[in-house]
Amino acid sequence: MGIQITPSILNADFAALGAEVARIPGADWVHVDVMDNHFVPNLTFGPTMVEALSKTTDVPLDAHLMIEDADDNALAYVEAGCGSVTFHVEATKAPVRLAREIRSHGARAAMALKPATPIEPYEDLLAELDMVLVMTVEPGFGGQNFLDLCLPKIRRARAMLDQQGIETWLQVDGGVSLETIGRCAEAGADVFVAGSAVYSADDPDLMISRLRATAETAAPHL
């Protein structure tokens, strides 16, 4: 599968999202942060906007649902055109059922964990998922500093995936930059969400290439 770079549009120009996505043709996915001002203290996009965005690009959309009612609303994002939908285990009543529903409707299913949420209680769920997201900042806002304390959890998650011999991707999100992506890749991540690092660059697509190269150099498991 190799390294994948997934720019977050949270740091893009909301008034011109179609044009902003057009600036990153080298992206593997476009990361869409969905926030409800309840699970996290911020309010962003809903399925109507996501559907409109999906019609402007061929790059697949990766929806990160930072909402309280993912059990009831996740499928709306599949229907809106997302190729991958991530729910937070802290806000999901039935994660296995939800993952199976997402997959049965044709999208990849992913589970996210906040920095303080351990991976160990969910080891038996990993085979039900297409991706696990380890948050490396507290979810809610872009531009935060990377939390090194999450690196051991990334390593433990990678060890669990390797031990089970499954192809579930391991994503990190939060403070990913040229300075931090190597540490994440070395710890075992293979999918990287980068918002500020990409959209604050003079050439966002060139930054994607630089992030990819840095991660590939540091990744021992590839």
Side-chain angles (χ1 to χ4, degrees):
M1 185 269 299
I3 295 296
Q4 298 187 71
I5 306 297
T6 306
S8 168
I9 57 172
L10 189 62
N11 299 94
D13 180 356
F14 284 12
L17 285 179
E20 289 286 73
V21 171
R23 298 173 68 200
I24 52 170
D28 297 289
W29 296 79
V30 174
H31 190 81
V32 182
D33 291 296
V34 178
M35 306 183 193
D36 64 358
N37 205 31
H38 294 284
F39 182 67
V40 293
N42 199 356
L43 184 65
T44 56
F45 316 112
T48 301
M49 187 287 298
V50 173
E51 182 177 11
L53 181 62
S54 72
K55 295 175 180 178
T56 70
T57 179
D58 292 328
V59 182
L61 303 185
D62 168 30
H64 177 190
L65 306 185
M66 288 169 273
I67 61 177
E68 287 186 342
D69 49 359
D71 293 273
D72 297 325
N73 289 287
L75 293 185
Y77 291 89
V78 180
E79 294 168 358
C82 292
S84 176
V85 176
T86 302
F87 56 86
H88 267 266
V89 72
E90 303 91 349
T92 306
K93 301 179 183 70
V96 172
R97 181 176 66 195
L98 182 55
R100 290 181 177 182
E101 288 178 347
I102 292 169
R103 294 172 107 176
S104 72
H105 283 74
R108 297 179 62 85
M111 182 180 74
L113 300 94
K114 290 182 177 183
T117 302
I119 184 70
E120 285 76 9
Y122 307 103
E123 183 172 3
D124 292 340
L125 277 65
L126 297 179
E128 297 283 346
L129 303 167
D130 296 296
M131 185 169 70
V132 175
L133 166 55
V134 175
M135 292 297 299
T136 45
V137 298
E138 290 293 340
F141 294 93
Q144 297 184 64
N145 292 328
F146 179 83
L147 296 174
D148 282 280
L149 60 86
C150 298
L151 289 170
K153 181 162 66 175
I154 297 170
R155 293 190 181 94
R156 294 194 301 272
R158 169 52 57 193
M160 290 177 187
L161 295 172
D162 290 348
Q163 185 176 21
Q164 294 188 31
I166 54 180
E167 296 183 0
T168 302
W169 299 349
L170 181 53
Q171 184 180 61
V172 292
D173 179 4
V176 174
S177 66
L178 289 173
E179 290 70 38
T180 61
I181 195 170
R183 298 203 294 277
C184 296
E186 186 277 331
D190 46 30
V191 185
F192 303 88
V193 178
S196 299
V198 170
Y199 277 106
S200 66
D202 292 335
D203 186 335
D205 207 49
L206 177 59
M207 177 56 68
I208 290 172
S209 297
R210 295 181 65 194
L211 288 165
R212 191 188 309 278
T214 302
E216 288 174 345
T217 299
H221 58 290
L222 296 179

